[in-house]
Amino acid sequence: MKTLYLLRHAKSSWKDPGLADLDRPLNKRGRETAKTMAAYLRRAKITPDVVLCSTAVRAKQTLEPIAKAIKPPRVLLSKARSMGSRNQNY
């Protein structure tokens, strides 16, 4: 049986309101949370076959410590789409 894990990016910084959505980084709390999640995934021996990650800075920063901890065999970056965009078609 296949298992699907969904993980949202950690807490992002709104320090610079002029940044584009894709360029918003994690804040301090978010960086710490990403490390905590990485440690949990390593302890739980969760290693996905494929990781699909947004190209948004905050998503890649969340993935960085996780990827180091669990060493997934394949990481794919997918161009991010803001869920809040008014002009999207679903």
Side-chain angles (χ1 to χ4, degrees), residues 12-29:
S12 58
S13 172
W14 287 84
K15 188 182 267 186
D16 184 353
L19 276 180
D21 186 55
L22 289 175
D23 297 329
R24 194 172 332 111
L26 295 179
N27 65 14
K28 182 179 178 181
R29 184 174 117 198

Side-chain angles (χ1 to χ4, degrees), residues 11-72:
K11 183 74 175 159
S12 58
S13 172
W14 287 84
K15 188 182 267 186
D16 184 353
L19 276 180
D21 186 55
L22 289 175
D23 297 329
R24 194 172 332 111
L26 295 179
N27 65 14
K28 182 179 178 181
R29 184 174 117 198
R31 290 188 301 273
E32 291 302 317
T33 301
K35 290 176 190 174
T36 300
M37 191 57 154
Y40 168 79
L41 293 170
R42 184 177 50 245
R43 280 193 315 274
K45 298 181 179 173
I46 295 173
T47 305
D49 296 322
V50 177
V51 173
L52 179 61
C53 182
S54 164
T55 57
V57 170
R58 63 191 175 278
K60 292 189 294 186
Q61 287 178 330
T62 300
L63 177 60
E64 187 175 294
I66 293 170
K68 286 180 182 176
I70 64 173
K71 298 178 178 50

